[in-house]
Amino acid sequence: MTKNIIKNKPEPAPGILKRSDLFAIAVGGVIGSGMVTLIGPAMAYTGYSVWLAYLVAIIMGFFMVFPYIILGGTLRVAGGPYSVVTNLAGVSAGGLITYSKLVMPILNSSFALALGLYLNVLIPSLSAKTLAIAGTVVLFVLNLMGVDIFAKVSKIMSTILLCTMVLYVIFGLTQIRQPIFDFSGVQMFTGGFKGFMLAALLLINSANGYFGVIWYGKDAKNATKDVPVASVSCVPCLLFIYVGLAMVTGGILPHDEVAGAPTILPAAQAILPSAVYKLFLIGGPIMAIITTQNGVFNDVRYPITQAANDGWLPKKILKTNRKGMPYLIYTYTLIVILLPIICDMSIVTITNIFQVISFFMNVTVVYAISQVPKKYPEAWKNNKFHLKTQMLYVFCGISILIYTTIFIKGILSVKPIYAASAVVIMVCLIVLGIYLSKRGGIQVETSVWPPKTEEEK
């Protein structure tokens, strides 16, 4: 049997990204499609208290991803969860991350549907489903052509998006007409405690993406100091924008006109002049969705490419077109995104299925993080949060508990056939990863470094 090989890359010199750059990346990673697609469905669970549910979702989301932030304050990391998990927890665990990435694009089906709903306002002659498929295919073709439009203007687009949503929230808060602060009102907590928690657990998916900035350790000037600060600094921004947006969306019109609405447009249309409304539609929701949706092709491309190079997947999938784009990987990603849309799944159903399948990967990553004190004892002693090992275990336990709660909610919130299929697929992928790791021949390059270079500066 051929042995598996795990080789850590040599640590590069400090990168060029400053704390402000990392903060911009973190904000861009979290301000996106979720805020313009899930408030109405969450309101159907809990009524006017949806803004409070978003507040709880942000707080829970922070504790859910806090182990990632601790990792970023202890080690300089790059390469994503696959690299970190393989380094800290072994080859089999890395295989789980690899195969999980194959099904993760399903979440972008909900973003595609949301794009279709918003574009339908501008192009009512075409159905939202048709526009969702067309929009995704256009992004697929642009990526195949190597057109790097979004990367070149991402900062501008993110700035426009942020300014648009902040201005809308500030203006909208002055227009609230409904009793969203009447805690004894009949439309407050309409689903009781269960409905409130269902709303919070649905919204939590959109409230924690800032932790992804830890994967930029290679390019950071002072990774273990600046990455955790950049991550945590996003939380106040989310509290203002997301909670404020939920107040505005739920507080302008009567409950029955907003609860369950798949977009935030009913409230926006009620308070914005026609011309401003269309500008808001393009500069806010549509831009949020497009910037998020476009990123999926590269989000899938790089881990799958590394997986194929390491031996988890056949190298044939790495074939490229004349522009150097991996057309087989992109085509696979397109199919995964379009299948739920073709099958007429709703945004809420897709979100719940994603929460079921992502559970296995997330718990594996958190477990791997709990191994940092054993694998890198000296770096752990100098972690920027000054945590003891026992406290790391506590925070990892809290994170896993939240992930488990979301998993159970997802299982109970979809049709049994969807829940069973999601679990069976993930179990099969786990078994496949274990089998291949035992067979041997996997050669992995990881990117995890104690902050020696930083300490010597």
Side-chain angles (χ1 to χ4, degrees):
M1 181 181 72
T2 308
K3 289 185 177 181
N4 298 317
I5 299 173
I6 301 178
K7 182 179 179 181
N8 201 40
K9 292 181 181 178
E11 182 181 9
I16 61 172
L17 296 180
K18 300 178 182 178
R19 186 173 296 179
S20 58
D21 300 317
L22 294 167
F23 173 73
I25 292 170
V27 168
V30 69
I31 302 291
S33 302
M35 67 178 177
V36 296
T37 59
L38 297 176
I39 293 177
M43 194 172 175
Y45 286 129
T46 194
Y48 288 139
S49 54
V50 67
W51 64 270
L52 194 58
Y54 229 142
L55 175 64
V56 171
I58 292 169
I59 295 171
M60 289 180 64
F62 173 76
F63 282 103
M64 189 169 75
V65 302
F66 189 48
Y68 289 83
I69 300 173
I70 295 172
L71 173 66
T74 307
L75 299 170
R76 184 183 178 195
V77 300
Y82 170 69
S83 174
V84 168
V85 167
T86 307
N87 184 283
L88 294 172
V91 174
S92 295
L96 170 60
I97 303 300
T98 291
Y99 294 123
S100 295
K101 284 292 183 180
L102 294 175
V103 291
M104 290 300 165
I106 190 174
L107 180 63
N108 288 74
S109 303
S110 66
F111 302 153
L113 282 172
L115 179 62
L117 289 168
Y118 282 101
L119 287 176
N120 181 245
V121 177
L122 298 175
I123 315 173
S125 59
L126 296 176
S127 70
K129 181 177 179 178
T130 299
L131 290 168
I133 294 172
T136 305
V137 171
V138 168
L139 291 175
F140 165 73
V141 172
L142 286 175
N143 278 276
L144 275 183
M145 294 170 61
V147 180
D148 203 14
I149 297 173
F150 296 98
K152 292 177 181 177
V153 298
S154 59
K155 266 195 172 181
I156 298 173
M157 294 177 74
S158 296
T159 301
I160 293 173
L161 168 62
L162 198 58
C163 291
T164 299
M165 299 312 297
V166 168
L167 290 173
Y168 174 70
V169 168
I170 292 173
F171 176 72
L173 289 173
T174 68
Q175 307 294 312
I176 290 176
R177 305 161 189 166
Q178 307 304 321
I180 64 172
F181 302 111
D182 180 7
F183 291 94
S184 60
V186 293
Q187 301 292 358
M188 200 81 167
F189 302 105
T190 52
F193 178 75
K194 178 182 177 182
F196 180 81
M197 289 308 301
L198 284 173
L201 293 173
L202 178 66
L203 293 168
I204 199 172
N205 234 51
S206 64
N208 58 65
Y210 50 85
F211 78 89
V213 74
I214 73 167
W215 313 127
Y216 287 80
K218 176 183 176 182
D219 303 306
K221 189 174 182 179
N222 206 334
T224 57
K225 291 183 180 179
D226 293 340
V227 164
V229 173
S231 299
V232 174
S233 298
C234 288
V235 177
C237 296
L238 293 185
L239 289 171
F240 175 76
I241 295 176
Y242 280 16
V243 176
L245 185 62
M247 288 179 176
V248 173
T249 302
I252 302 296
L253 297 172
H255 173 272
D256 293 342
E257 295 183 33
V258 185
T263 73
I264 62 171
L265 294 183
Q269 193 168 22
I271 62 174
L272 296 176
S274 179
V276 177
Y277 168 70
K278 289 187 177 179
L279 288 174
F280 165 76
L281 176 63
I282 296 169
I286 290 178
M287 192 164 293
I289 296 167
I290 289 177
T291 52
T292 303
Q293 182 76 336
N294 184 68
V296 68
F297 290 100
N298 284 332
D299 287 345
V300 175
R301 170 190 176 183
Y302 291 115
I304 289 183
T305 297
Q306 184 174 359
N309 285 324
D310 289 352
W312 296 107
L313 296 168
K315 285 186 169 56
K316 291 181 180 179
I317 66 172
L318 299 177
K319 288 182 179 179
T320 59
N321 61 15
R322 288 181 298 174
K323 299 289 185 178
M325 298 295 107
Y327 62 92
L328 292 177
I329 294 177
Y330 281 178
T331 302
Y332 168 80
T333 304
L334 178 68
I335 293 170
V336 174
I337 294 173
L338 292 184
L339 273 177
I341 301 173
I342 295 170
C343 294
D344 293 318
M345 292 185 186
S346 69
I347 290 175
V348 173
T349 296
I350 294 168
T351 301
N352 283 320
I353 291 173
F354 174 79
Q355 290 179 333
V356 172
I357 62 179
S358 62
F359 164 78
F360 299 91
M361 184 182 82
N362 292 326
V363 169
T364 302
V365 176
V366 174
Y367 166 76
I369 294 171
S370 73
Q371 303 304 299
V372 169
K374 297 178 182 177
K375 187 76 182 282
Y376 295 97
E378 290 302 316
W380 175 246
K381 288 179 183 177
N382 298 313
N383 75 83
K384 297 303 182 288
F385 292 94
H386 306 290
L387 291 175
K388 301 296 184 183
T389 302
Q390 290 77 9
M391 287 306 301
L392 173 65
Y393 295 157
V394 168
F395 284 121
C396 286
I398 293 172
S399 175
I400 290 174
L401 178 62
I402 297 173
Y403 278 124
T404 303
T405 303
I406 294 171
F407 171 75
I408 294 171
K409 185 273 300 182
I411 288 287
L412 298 177
S413 299
V414 297
K415 294 178 181 178
I417 184 63
Y418 292 158
S421 298
V423 172
V424 168
I425 288 171
M426 294 310 299
V427 169
C428 289
L429 293 179
I430 291 171
V431 171
L432 178 60
I434 294 172
Y435 166 75
L436 289 178
S437 64
K438 287 187 175 180
R439 188 187 67 177
I442 305 297
Q443 299 185 39
V444 183
E445 280 194 346
T446 62
S447 305
V448 180
W449 310 285
K452 294 179 181 177
T453 303
E454 295 173 4
E455 292 173 0
E456 292 168 359
K457 288 173 58 182

